[in-house]
Amino acid sequence: MTAVETVAVTKIGSLTAPDAGQRGSIGVVTFPADQVGPEDVRIAVAYAAICGSDPHLAEGFFGTDVPIGLGHEISGVVAELGSGVRRRDLKVGDRVSGNFVRFCGACQPCQDGRQQFCQNLQEYNRPGMARSVVWHESQVYRLPESVSLLKGCLLEPTSVAVRIADKTRIRPGDRVAVCGGGPIGQLSLQLMHRYGATDLTLIEPIAERRELARRFGARHVIDPNSESLAERNREITGGVGFDVVIDASGSRHAVAGLLDLAAPGGTVVYGAMYPEGYELPLNLSDYLYRKELTLTGVFVSPYTFPRAVRLLEELDLEPFLQSVYDLEDAAEAFETHLGGTHPKVVIRCNRLPEDTGSGAGQA
């Protein structure tokens, strides 16, 4: 294989800019195919889901040299194994998903049990919204027989939700609020429900996403555009506040007020990607001295993928799989994603014989 069709940013700029001249664009380009090294696996990609971070790449978040290949939430079938692959559980034809990040295992952070700070993270960060992708064997995870390829492309976002859950250190009975009803917020809400969260609340302006949260176990929902967060907080928690507050919105307009929702001694997890230049106003005396809040964030998802694989069989994922577009219709898929009608939009990169998934959108 010498070349591979890949969805990419073809022009830098906001994908929603009103001025067409300033608007970014998405297209399908041909990249040179990555060669399969001794420890590598070539995956024929079945599905690649659009992540909320993908439009940020069009805005130049990680550089402005176009084309910029996209995609890290994938599923597919093993097409080729390197000559030195040591995995005995992988063979050509296996249905797989994976972690777009390769942790080297050799640097000081990796050896110190802090893979998320691996000094060589970019080595195998290759676009997966493509006909095929080559990843190191350590990045690849076999899918359970009961999990379709379509559902399998949600492994990576599920791993993020698991990582967020790890960072909350939730206890059964803790009051929990989640801000943002996109896939990460909804998956985190499902996990919090399983942990035994009480007064489980979603803060989300889109009505359909609030209703979806009720399906996933939310006891309360709040529309921040029409309701007072302070008043609803007092109503739901009796003025005590939430023990755990999770932000999955990435919205600079939402994050500052979340500190006021937290109970004394509570934990606030910022689990999204935020504008690079945004600085959160923080009164140290109020929030860290008097309330002793724990504030933390999430970068990537170390040590979570094996658990996330098992959760694919347990979580309610069907609502995220209803809008599917073919690779050549990627620009339209991104328009649908930005429209917010569907909680998730997926791109079908190949029609594979093992593909048991189906969806709405472009069939």
Side-chain angles (χ1 to χ4, degrees):
M1 179 179 292
T2 59
V4 58
E5 288 183 296
T6 304
V7 178
V9 176
T10 54
K11 179 185 174 186
I12 294 294
S14 170
L15 297 179
T16 58
D19 182 349
Q22 301 297 317
R23 192 179 307 142
S25 63
I26 301 294
V28 178
V29 302
T30 300
F31 284 134
D34 291 308
Q35 299 303 304
V36 177
E39 298 177 357
D40 291 342
V41 178
R42 187 185 302 281
I43 301 169
V45 181
Y47 294 100
I50 298 176
C51 174
S53 68
D54 286 330
H56 291 300
L57 273 70
E59 296 166 6
F61 198 94
F62 292 117
T64 57
D65 292 336
V66 294
I68 302 170
L70 298 172
H72 57 272
E73 303 178 2
I74 76 159
S75 64
V77 172
V78 174
E80 183 180 355
L81 294 173
S83 60
V85 167
R86 291 165 290 184
R87 295 271 299 274
R88 296 294 176 253
D89 62 330
L90 279 183
K91 64 182 184 300
V92 171
D94 280 347
R95 300 157 58 258
V96 297
S97 183
N99 182 359
F100 71 102
V101 170
R102 179 196 175 185
F103 303 117
C104 75
C107 68
Q108 191 274 331
C110 279
Q111 293 185 339
D112 195 31
R114 298 178 297 132
Q115 286 182 332
Q116 66 269 36
F117 304 122
C118 175
Q119 296 169 349
N120 301 294
L121 281 181
Q122 299 302 317
E123 185 179 354
Y124 273 72
N125 189 357
R126 298 169 176 175
M129 202 172 284
R131 300 294 187 191
S132 70
V133 65
V134 174
W135 280 347
H136 188 263
E137 61 177 315
S138 63
Q139 297 173 262
V140 181
Y141 293 86
R142 290 182 60 193
L143 293 172
E145 288 299 321
S146 62
V147 174
S148 69
L149 285 170
L150 182 57
K151 187 177 290 187
C153 74
L154 298 180
L155 174 63
E156 196 278 337
T158 301
S159 80
V160 175
V162 173
R163 172 74 167 148
I164 288 172
D166 287 350
K167 297 297 288 286
T168 67
R169 298 183 178 178
I170 185 176
R171 305 164 302 172
D174 276 347
R175 298 180 176 97
V176 178
V178 178
C179 180
I184 299 301
Q186 301 281 6
L187 290 169
S188 297
L189 189 141
Q190 286 195 51
L191 289 182
M192 293 296 98
H193 182 60
R194 284 171 166 264
Y195 269 103
T198 58
D199 288 327
L200 186 56
T201 301
L202 179 76
I203 304 165
E204 166 59 49
I206 299 176
E208 291 80 5
R209 294 183 177 185
R210 295 196 299 270
E211 288 306 307
L212 186 59
R214 291 190 183 278
R215 167 173 169 171
F216 293 152
R219 187 171 182 180
H220 308 280
V221 294
I222 300 174
D223 179 357
N225 289 338
S226 63
E227 300 178 271
S228 165
L229 291 182
E231 290 181 6
R232 289 304 310 278
N233 186 26
R234 285 192 294 270
E235 174 189 323
I236 293 168
T237 71
V240 176
F242 291 94
D243 303 293
V244 173
V245 179
I246 297 168
D247 179 63
S249 72
S251 168
R252 57 188 297 174
H253 304 293
V255 292
L258 298 182
L259 296 173
D260 295 319
L261 301 183
T267 296
V268 181
V269 180
Y270 294 96
M273 178 184 289
Y274 303 93
E276 276 192 308
Y278 176 66
E279 296 184 4
L280 176 69
L282 179 64
N283 186 305
L284 296 179
S285 179
D286 286 346
Y287 297 115
L288 300 190
Y289 175 57
R290 290 189 175 89
K291 290 185 74 172
E292 286 194 15
L293 297 183
T294 297
L295 312 184
T296 187
V298 170
F299 175 40
V300 291
S301 305
Y303 314 110
T304 63
F305 277 82
R307 288 177 288 154
V309 168
R310 296 193 290 272
L311 281 166
L312 290 177
E313 299 180 276
E314 302 288 336
L315 297 177
D316 184 355
L317 301 178
E318 290 305 319
F320 307 112
L321 303 172
Q322 302 305 308
S323 180
V324 181
Y325 289 80
D326 288 326
L327 185 90
E328 53 267 29
D329 300 312
E332 185 180 351
F334 270 81
E335 289 179 9
T336 301
H337 165 80
L338 293 167
T341 303
H342 296 279
K344 197 74 171 172
V345 177
V346 177
I347 292 177
R348 182 190 290 114
C349 298
N350 287 291
R351 292 179 180 267
L352 301 176
E354 295 84 354
D355 179 358
T356 61
S358 62
Q362 184 106 0

